Amino acid sequence: MSKLRVHLLGVLVLLTGLLTTAGAQPASALPDDLWFDPAAAATLTVQNGRFTDGLGREVVLRGYNVSGETKLKENNGLPFASVADAKKSATALRALGGGNSVRFLLSWAYAEPTRGQVDSAYLAAATDQIRAFVDAGIRVYPDFHQDLYSRWLFDSDSWYTGDGAPKWAVDLGDYPDEYCGICPFWGQNITSNAAVTQATYDFWHNEYGLQDAFLDTAQKTMTYVRQNLTATQFAGVVGFDPWNEPHAGTYDSGQTSRAWEKDVLWPFYVKFRARMDAAGWQAKPAFVEPNLFWNANIDFQKQEGGLLDSTLGSRYVFNTHFYDQKAISGVFMWGKAEDGQYVGDFGTVRDRATATGTTAIISEFGHPLSGSVSDKAPTVYKAMYQALDSRVKGANWWANPASSGPVLSGSQWQWDIYNGRHHELMNDNPNEVQTAGDAWNDEDLSAVRLDDSGKAVLRQDARMLDRVYPSATAGRSLAFTYEDRSRDGSTTLTWNPVPSSLPNVAQLVGSGQYALQVWRSDGSAEPTELHLPASFPSASTTVVSDLGTVFGPPAYTRTTPIATAAEPGGTGSRRLLLTAADSGVLHYALVANGATAPSASVLSAARAELSSWMAAEFN
């Protein structure tokens, strides 16, 4: 969208409010909307390698996968048992987890239980649950999820199970009895279980018309969702992930993983893109994933890929996953994650997105929260969020902020309020009732659970999950960092200390959390927005910026350059609003929650230090 159109849209929104009778304000799309929010939420597109909202601001999507419950039969392929649970989960995700988006899992098996017939009751229930999230101000991108192709490939007494394809799709093939051999990790079935590899191969080669059937169901699903949400609600559905963790199953003779991506996977995405257009999703990008193993961090697992031969452009998003398989193995990485552990891995994701002409999202990342390697989780997660924020490690950030790169969007695996309270008959076996963890292949990665009173509570350190991040930047984000001070047991992890060359900034920050955003303005009247965690109450938050210095930022008005407000959706989540209605100007904002109110002299000195630092680093 051109800047002229952006500004005209903003003016139109404002004039609409001014022209209402008796000074009344127009009806808000969401609770807590400000004057610019409906226009901002009207669309999400990809422009110039960034997610962009309806006002032309850069957007960062942060949130969770909702939910692994879709993999289970207990709620018939839905993330939640009820709309009430979906609403409870959405509110908690926004208020406790700091998320502004979710990857919303759907099931082909339950969408099309009989070949050629979509289950309208399933689609209705899924759409109702999607509505709970968009009404809470949370953007949604659905995902037709699969792992190991289908649960119906597995014997009732198997060690493992799958999800995805319907029973009728499995019944079409004469697949061997499933067997993985010595496979301590469920993912090894992807390449070692002949039933999985052959069924997966058949899907990609459209044997029995399987791929055509899936595409038909996907189109009908997308059409249903569009037709059964209001225009405002549908604007909150920002794209679609066609297929989770694609892999060939088996390669044809002489075929490489790169050639498979080019000749098999990419044509599938082109077909899916056409189905999106036919369903009325023309303005929304497809969140397409490369070969699952393209960025594996164990050498013998890695396969060449990353959509190297495809130009995605603005109608697609480069969508990938990252798990530290070395850390999960318990063998290839003995210690904890360290400062900068994943900046190289996530830097590669940034580079691939740029090379393909689009933006990126890491739609799954995580680490087990129980079991033999769970002691690594606090450092692994901190290092992953650090790498989402910047491609520069903490120890080097202040000396090299200009190399930060774009802030990456990401969806942590996962957000399952039923964690530890499931009742899943694994492979329909009444003697294998799964209740612990995520109730799926012994996984336990949910950031949330319900306590005995039915209240959603976090299972991980809130300092690490509920983060400051630039949710919308009016201009171009140049550098960002966040020191969350999260804990590994009783140890506070500080990987990005303020350098001694900035003594007043260090004094102001103290032992608290802080974020620093640097951006170049674009002339927008609408503010830059940073999510404010619950640990940053307005009354004790300090902002030091070229726009001013404030302890306890006031409520937002159009003439207040540094202010706070509720985030749209009525969940109690909050944001910092920074208004700089100039163009091409460098701006910075340090946001801190130190324990005591800083003196005017410290604020002034800190501002002088940061201004000098800015001039030196971004000349």
Side-chain angles (χ1 to χ4, degrees):
M1 182 181 294
S2 69
K3 280 293 163 195
L4 177 60
R5 288 179 64 196
V6 167
H7 293 318
L8 287 175
L9 182 58
V11 170
L12 178 61
V13 171
L14 178 61
L15 289 177
T16 302
L18 293 175
L19 293 175
T20 50
T21 59
Q25 295 299 307
S28 293
L30 292 174
D32 299 319
D33 267 350
L34 296 174
W35 66 273
F36 56 87
D37 284 324
T43 187
L44 186 79
T45 56
V46 177
Q47 295 183 32
N48 301 316
R50 302 289 193 275
F51 285 118
T52 306
D53 69 12
L55 297 171
R57 300 180 302 175
E58 284 186 11
V59 167
V60 173
L61 301 178
R62 287 287 176 87
Y64 304 83
N65 282 262
V66 177
S67 151
E69 181 77 5
T70 300
K71 297 184 180 187
L72 308 181
K73 192 175 181 180
E74 65 179 357
N75 283 331
N76 294 317
L78 291 167
F80 302 99
S82 65
V83 172
D85 279 0
K87 290 180 178 179
K88 176 189 293 188
S89 189
T91 298
L93 187 146
R94 196 89 158 113
L96 299 179
N100 66 2
S101 61
V102 294
R103 181 174 181 242
F104 189 98
L105 276 59
L106 297 172
S107 170
W108 177 19
Y110 290 93
E112 190 187 8
T114 302
R115 183 164 193 171
Q117 300 178 26
V118 295
D119 186 338
S120 58
Y122 176 80
L123 297 186
T127 303
D128 286 344
Q129 293 184 11
I130 289 173
R131 186 180 295 110
F133 284 83
V134 295
D135 283 350
I138 297 171
R139 289 182 165 106
V140 173
Y141 60 108
D143 153 50
F144 263 122
H145 207 78
Q146 71 80 36
D147 290 289
L148 311 184
Y149 191 69
S150 176
R151 67 182 284 122
W152 283 279
L153 286 172
F154 291 84
D155 299 330
S156 63
D157 60 351
S158 177
W159 287 5
Y160 299 112
T161 189
D163 68 287
K167 184 177 186 299
W168 62 259
V170 172
D171 290 342
L172 288 171
D174 184 19
Y175 302 122
D177 190 46
E178 60 90 11
Y179 177 67
C180 192
I182 303 174
C183 292
F185 303 106
W186 71 260
Q188 292 173 270
N189 285 271
I190 296 169
T191 55
S192 299
N193 189 325
V196 174
T197 60
Q198 291 183 29
T200 302
Y201 180 93
D202 282 353
F203 175 84
W204 292 120
H205 291 80
N206 200 27
E207 292 291 331
Y208 318 111
L210 286 168
Q211 193 177 119
D212 291 340
F214 171 79
L215 290 169
D216 287 345
T217 296
Q219 181 176 337
K220 292 172 184 175
T221 299
M222 289 185 284
T223 300
Y224 187 96
V225 170
R226 177 181 60 80
Q227 291 177 343
N228 288 276
L229 295 175
T230 67
T232 297
Q233 290 167 339
F234 185 55
V237 181
V238 297
F240 210 109
D241 183 345
W243 191 264
N244 179 66
E245 296 183 352
H247 185 259
T250 58
Y251 293 110
D252 289 324
S253 178
Q255 186 181 50
T256 65
S257 56
R258 178 171 180 171
W260 178 80
E261 280 194 347
K262 177 178 181 289
D263 298 332
V264 179
L265 182 61
W266 180 248
F268 167 74
Y269 287 147
V270 172
K271 292 175 186 176
F272 195 94
R273 174 72 266 179
R275 298 303 185 110
M276 291 179 70
D277 295 347
W281 292 51
Q282 300 94 324
K284 303 178 189 295
F287 287 60
V288 295
E289 302 184 35
N291 178 347
L292 163 65
F293 296 113
W294 83 279
N295 62 343
N297 71 342
I298 296 178
D299 289 342
F300 62 80
Q301 288 186 334
K302 192 167 186 175
Q303 299 179 6
E304 186 180 26
L307 301 176
L308 294 167
D309 300 295
S310 303
T311 300
L312 275 63
S314 60
R315 303 224 317 142
Y316 299 86
V317 171
F318 185 77
N319 168 21
T320 188
H321 298 174
F322 184 82
Y323 292 93
D324 186 347
Q325 295 297 339
K326 290 182 179 179
I328 292 172
S329 73
V331 174
F332 298 105
M333 181 183 126
W334 288 100
K336 306 289 186 73
E338 299 177 347
D339 176 22
Q341 185 99 7
Y342 307 116
V343 295
D345 297 295
F346 287 24
T348 299
V349 173
R350 289 176 170 90
D351 293 341
R352 284 304 309 140
T354 299
T356 60
T358 187
T359 190
I361 188 167
I362 299 182
S363 62
E364 283 190 28
F365 62 94
H367 189 83
L369 298 181
S370 62
S372 61
V373 298
S374 60
D375 64 309
K376 302 178 191 296
T379 57
V380 167
Y381 278 101
K382 180 179 174 73
M384 288 182 176
Y385 274 110
Q386 178 195 54
L388 287 173
D389 290 344
S390 172
R391 64 189 305 159
V392 180
K393 66 187 292 186
N396 299 342
W397 192 88
W398 285 92
N400 191 23
S403 296
S404 274
V407 179
L408 275 177
S409 295
S411 301
Q412 180 177 327
W413 186 273
Q414 66 159 329
W415 191 268
D416 174 18
I417 59 173
Y418 307 115
N419 176 271
R421 296 176 180 270
H422 292 283
H423 189 83
E424 173 72 1
L425 276 61
M426 184 174 176
N427 298 317
D428 298 318
N429 186 340
N431 297 318
E432 292 290 341
V433 179
Q434 306 295 304
T435 60
D438 302 334
W440 195 85
N441 287 341
D442 293 326
E443 288 198 337
D444 184 12
L445 287 91
S446 179
V448 70
R449 64 176 178 87
L450 297 179
D451 66 14
D452 289 341
S453 70
K455 178 183 177 181
V457 294
L458 295 179
R459 301 179 64 229
Q460 294 177 271
D461 191 343
R463 303 171 190 87
M464 185 269 294
L465 292 179
D466 191 13
R467 310 175 64 78
V468 179
Y469 60 92
S471 52
T473 300
R476 190 75 165 181
S477 179
L478 301 181
F480 177 77
T481 191
Y482 181 52
E483 178 50 78
D484 58 37
R485 313 272 193 185
S486 56
R487 310 294 202 268
D488 179 10
S490 61
T491 302
T492 299
L493 302 172
T494 300
W495 290 352
N496 192 354
V498 178
S500 59
S501 58
L502 303 170
N504 289 283
V505 175
Q507 179 180 341
L508 184 149
V509 168
S511 60
Q513 300 165 297
Y514 79 86
L516 181 54
Q517 164 84 339
V518 179
W519 76 102
R520 189 179 298 277
S521 62
D522 65 355
S524 299
E526 303 82 25
T528 288
E529 301 185 29
L530 279 74
H531 170 72
L532 278 182
S535 58
F536 283 73
S538 297
S540 58
T541 293
T542 301
V543 181
V544 177
S545 171
D546 64 291
L547 302 174
T549 60
V550 179
F551 176 72
Y556 173 78
T557 72
R558 292 194 57 161
T559 59
T560 307
I562 302 173
T564 59
E567 289 174 319
T571 62
S573 58
R574 297 163 47 258
R575 52 184 162 166
L576 179 71
L577 302 174
L578 305 166
T579 303
D582 45 30
S583 182
V585 178
L586 277 172
H587 295 284
Y588 69 86
L590 174 80
V591 188
N593 66 350
T596 58
S599 67
S601 61
V602 168
L603 286 173
S604 177
R607 186 181 186 189
E609 289 174 356
L610 287 170
S611 295
S612 296
W613 171 82
M614 276 279 293
E617 299 297 334
F618 296 91
N619 51 35

